[in-house]
Amino acid sequence: MKIISKALLVYGGFFLCWFLLAQVDFVSFFEIEQNKVFAEDKIGDIIWDEIERNENVIYDDSIVSTLDSLLLPLCEANNIERDSLKVHIVKNSQVNAFAMPDNHLVVYSGLIEASKNEQALLGVLGHEMAHIEKNHVMKKLSKEIGFSVLVSMATGANGSQIAEVLNTLTSSAYDRSLEREADMESVRYMLKANIDPRPFADFMYELSLDNEMHKYTYLITTHPEAEDRAKYILNYLKGKKIKSKAILSKEAFNEFKENVAKNRE
């Protein structure tokens, strides 16, 4: 009887699983996933083309290669393919960086110039990398604009749709939970790469207090509660052994900033 009971349980479990799987519309599921990938790829290209047409992009080899040398250790320590990130430097006085669909990461020259050290800059860039790695970008756009609109846009965007997406990416914050997740993921990226995250927290705190810079500081105005976030990071780091290894010398980092400032003139 025990053997028969076990057999009945096995067969019953099998048919239950079969019944549940039969209720799933796999065609629709995979179609949705394909649409997501298609939309993300196309929207990323569309938005970047719009930025490239209307903004001054820095292509200077020295500047681009220096930023790459800063990002590479962060990527390598966290198993992130550097080539998977499409990093762009744009001449803009705003203290900001933002992630876009299809792994685009836009860095404004104002952010580089405002960063006192490489750790502060890498903390912000790590935050945006986390938005990319955690798929926060499409979650944000799907919630605020609508997935059906994004798919439609990918097949033929008009100017107003492009403007709406770009404005959503550059001047509105993510949900608080996503912002905190990106903050803490950036901190973990830095710790794994032996980069001290404390200057990242200090940078946010200083910007939140600098009233004169607020008109240029979209990083703070679009990322609310910066002071609280800075304190949260510092509390998380209490008691941790922090290894810190400079990527660039202080002189080399300042030269990098100066080159960016000259290129912007």
Side-chain angles (χ1 to χ4, degrees), residues 21-257:
L21 288 172
Q23 309 310 305
V24 178
D25 186 347
F26 286 103
V27 173
S28 296
F29 173 78
F30 286 117
E31 187 176 337
I32 289 170
E33 290 303 307
Q34 287 176 339
N35 283 338
K36 284 181 180 179
V37 173
F38 172 74
E40 183 169 1
D41 291 351
K42 291 296 294 181
I43 291 169
D45 291 341
I46 290 167
I47 299 303
W48 172 244
D49 287 345
E50 180 73 8
I51 293 172
E52 199 169 26
R53 277 195 302 269
N54 296 287
E55 301 274 2
N56 292 317
V57 182
I58 296 177
Y59 293 108
D60 182 277
D61 288 341
S62 174
I63 293 172
V64 171
S65 62
T66 301
L67 183 61
D68 189 64
S69 71
L70 288 169
L71 284 171
L72 192 58
L74 202 63
C75 291
E76 288 180 340
N78 292 280
N79 298 316
I80 297 171
E81 284 289 335
R82 170 62 191 87
D83 290 342
S84 70
L85 296 173
K86 302 168 185 177
V87 182
H88 316 283
I89 308 173
V90 172
K91 298 178 187 180
N92 193 310
S93 60
Q94 297 172 12
V95 182
N96 200 15
F98 58 93
M100 300 198 312
D102 197 29
N103 293 8
H104 288 276
L105 199 171
V106 177
V107 184
Y108 282 169
S109 57
L111 170 65
I112 297 172
E113 293 176 56
S115 300
K116 290 185 177 180
N117 47 55
E118 65 185 27
Q119 294 93 335
L121 176 60
L122 285 172
V124 176
L125 298 186
H127 175 99
E128 299 305 327
M129 286 166 57
H131 280 319
I132 291 172
E133 291 294 307
K134 298 292 184 180
N135 197 34
H136 292 173
V137 183
M138 288 302 287
K139 287 180 182 177
K140 174 184 173 70
L141 291 178
S142 296
K143 179 180 178 180
E144 297 188 22
I145 294 176
F147 180 64
S148 61
V149 175
L150 295 175
V151 172
S152 172
M153 178 182 169
T155 59
N158 59 48
S160 62
Q161 288 175 324
I162 295 172
E164 183 182 7
V165 171
L166 187 54
N167 184 64
T168 300
L169 292 172
T170 60
S171 50
S172 66
Y174 289 80
D175 290 347
R176 186 182 300 179
S177 61
L178 298 185
E179 290 289 16
R180 175 167 286 191
E181 184 179 9
D183 281 341
M184 300 317 300
E185 194 68 7
S186 180
V187 169
R188 286 187 281 271
Y189 288 163
M190 297 176 80
L191 290 173
K192 285 184 180 179
N194 293 330
I195 300 168
D196 188 351
R198 289 172 294 191
F200 169 42
D202 293 342
F203 185 46
M204 286 201 299
Y205 183 71
E206 288 166 9
L207 289 175
S208 71
L209 296 178
D210 194 336
N211 292 322
E212 179 59 28
M213 284 192 69
H214 278 185
K215 57 186 175 181
Y216 305 110
T217 311
Y218 280 67
L219 179 67
I220 296 303
T221 57
T222 63
H223 293 65
E225 302 173 346
E227 183 179 344
D228 288 342
R229 288 165 56 197
K231 290 177 180 177
Y232 185 86
I233 290 170
L234 292 174
N235 286 333
Y236 172 80
L237 293 171
K238 280 182 181 177
K240 285 186 170 20
K241 291 183 179 179
I242 299 173
K243 297 179 181 178
S244 185
K245 183 179 179 182
I247 301 169
L248 299 177
S249 67
K250 186 175 180 180
E251 293 74 20
F253 184 75
N254 287 334
E255 183 180 350
F256 170 54
K257 291 172 57 177

